[in-house]
Amino acid sequence: MKIEKDFELLKEIKSVGIILRPQSPELKEVFIKLQKEFLKIGVISILEDVSAKMIGFNGIDFDLLCKECDFLISVGGDGTLLGVARKAFKYDIPIIGINLGTLGFLTDLNLDDLDEFIDDLQSNNYKINARMMIEASINDKAFIAFNDIVISRKNISSMLKIKAKINKKAFNTYFGDGVIVSTPSGSTAYNLSVGGPIVYPLTDAFIITPVAAHSLTQRPLVMPADIEIEFKVPQNQEAVVIVDGQESFELKQNESLNIKIAKKKARMLHRNSRDFFKVLNDKLRWGN
């Protein structure tokens, strides 16, 4: 039974854009290896300019990179991939991650897999998955999230009260350290660490998980993705809204954070051999 939701494969591959983990000049040798291996099959490797400056090479602006290249490789860990996915989202360009970190639920490859991956590219033995993204706004500030949006207390000495509406109807008031709204892709991130459910990453759904709730009756919820969610903090309180653990915005008293599914989806390139359930087994050591 096929449960994947895929985009069409690339018609041809002439160039690949490469983004390296920030503040990691030791990745120079990794880029040289990538450049060498792709050149063997006639594919040009182009560095993003910040990465290029870091290792003493020439590169091009990220937006131009997305326009010029057929797909992107993020070299680092899940955090690097998250930043690339948000920035590249508007260009509909496929992304794959090379994992140099430890856990890594999103990154697809290790360096040892590179030769096999290039063979798979040449034989069209890969897939491009469609991943749900979150679109959110506070007043006139709009932003996109791949993994999650967290509403967290600004003052660590007091708990946070958050009023929530679904489709403009009140449905809950959270009292505790905060609330996580996660995509299925992000269900294995912060959501998982506070007891939220793992959701198959190609599902369209919101996972709403309270953080250290001051009530045993508060439980994680899995909701359909066609709803719109509104969060508001009452008077005399402020919160911090954190996007994918990388960007933050203030949520002031009586301001609303509005969340809905983004109109289009991120494109993630994977080998056909990648199996989400095997990833869970390996990363979480199920059965060991």
Side-chain angles (χ1 to χ4, degrees):
M1 180 177 67
K2 185 175 177 61
I3 53 179
E4 305 284 327
K5 300 176 185 176
D6 296 341
F7 289 107
E8 291 183 5
L9 300 183
L10 299 167
K11 292 183 172 61
E12 59 180 346
I13 301 175
K14 294 182 178 180
S15 60
V16 54
I18 297 177
I19 301 95
L20 306 177
R21 182 176 58 206
Q23 300 177 351
S24 303
E26 69 276 9
L27 296 185
K28 178 178 180 178
E29 295 304 317
V30 175
F31 171 70
I32 291 173
K33 178 178 176 63
L34 290 169
Q35 187 181 44
K36 178 181 176 181
E37 296 303 317
F38 276 110
L39 199 56
K40 288 179 181 178
I41 63 168
V43 175
I44 299 171
S45 300
I46 305 175
L47 264 174
E48 176 257 350
D49 58 355
V50 176
S51 301
K53 290 174 185 175
M54 180 178 72
I55 62 171
F57 278 59
N58 294 321
I60 64 175
D61 174 77
F62 184 88
D63 293 303
L64 183 58
L65 189 79
C66 292
K67 295 175 183 177
E68 295 289 330
C69 295
D70 298 299
F71 72 100
L72 301 179
I73 294 179
S74 161
V75 182
D78 281 0
T80 309
L81 181 61
L82 287 173
V84 171
R86 286 201 315 280
K87 288 176 66 178
F89 176 63
K90 61 184 177 182
Y91 294 105
D92 295 323
I93 185 169
I95 307 165
I96 190 167
I98 293 180
N99 182 30
L100 301 179
T102 51
L103 197 56
F105 282 95
L106 300 177
T107 46
D108 205 76
L109 304 171
N110 295 312
L111 275 179
D112 293 341
D113 302 321
L114 184 59
D115 290 342
E116 181 182 345
F117 170 63
I118 290 176
D119 289 341
D120 286 344
L121 278 180
Q122 289 184 289
S123 58
N124 284 337
N125 187 27
Y126 66 93
K127 56 197 172 189
I128 301 176
N129 290 160
R131 297 288 188 103
M132 170 187 160
M133 299 281 278
I134 291 174
E135 182 180 313
S137 63
I138 302 171
N139 294 336
D140 58 347
K141 297 188 292 284
F143 38 93
I144 293 288
F146 186 98
N147 257 4
D148 52 41
I149 290 178
V150 178
I151 310 157
S152 182
R153 55 183 179 166
K154 188 174 181 180
N155 185 349
I156 62 172
S157 65
S158 61
M159 284 182 284
L160 179 65
K161 186 176 183 180
I162 305 170
K163 295 183 176 181
K165 293 182 179 180
I166 289 180
N167 293 339
K168 301 187 177 185
K169 293 182 179 179
F171 92 100
N172 206 346
T173 298
Y174 294 96
F175 191 47
D177 283 2
V179 177
I180 303 166
V181 181
S182 169
T183 65
S185 295
S187 67
T188 50
Y190 190 13
N191 167 75
L192 181 62
S193 72
V194 297
I198 296 173
V199 179
Y200 186 71
L202 303 186
T203 309
D204 286 348
F206 288 111
I207 303 106
I208 306 173
T209 305
V211 181
H214 193 57
S215 169
L216 294 177
T217 63
Q218 295 288 5
R219 288 291 183 263
L221 293 170
V222 179
M223 305 291 286
D226 60 353
I227 64 171
E228 293 192 18
I229 312 167
E230 178 187 341
F231 294 100
K232 181 181 285 190
V233 292
Q235 289 184 350
N236 304 319
Q237 283 204 309
E238 293 184 339
V240 178
V241 175
I242 304 166
V243 181
D244 284 343
Q246 297 179 342
E247 293 183 285
S248 62
F249 304 89
E250 285 191 356
L251 184 64
K252 298 178 182 178
Q253 60 181 11
N254 292 321
E255 286 187 332
S256 293
L257 168 66
N258 296 287
I259 291 175
K260 60 183 178 181
I261 187 173
K263 293 176 182 173
K264 56 183 181 179
K265 299 189 175 184
R267 300 186 178 212
M268 304 301 295
L269 194 154
H270 297 291
R271 295 174 296 168
N272 278 331
S273 60
R274 178 182 170 90
D275 181 341
F276 175 67
F277 302 104
K278 185 178 185 306
V279 172
L280 290 180
N281 187 281
D282 291 344
K283 302 297 184 183
L284 301 179
R285 300 182 63 81
W286 284 351
N288 295 327

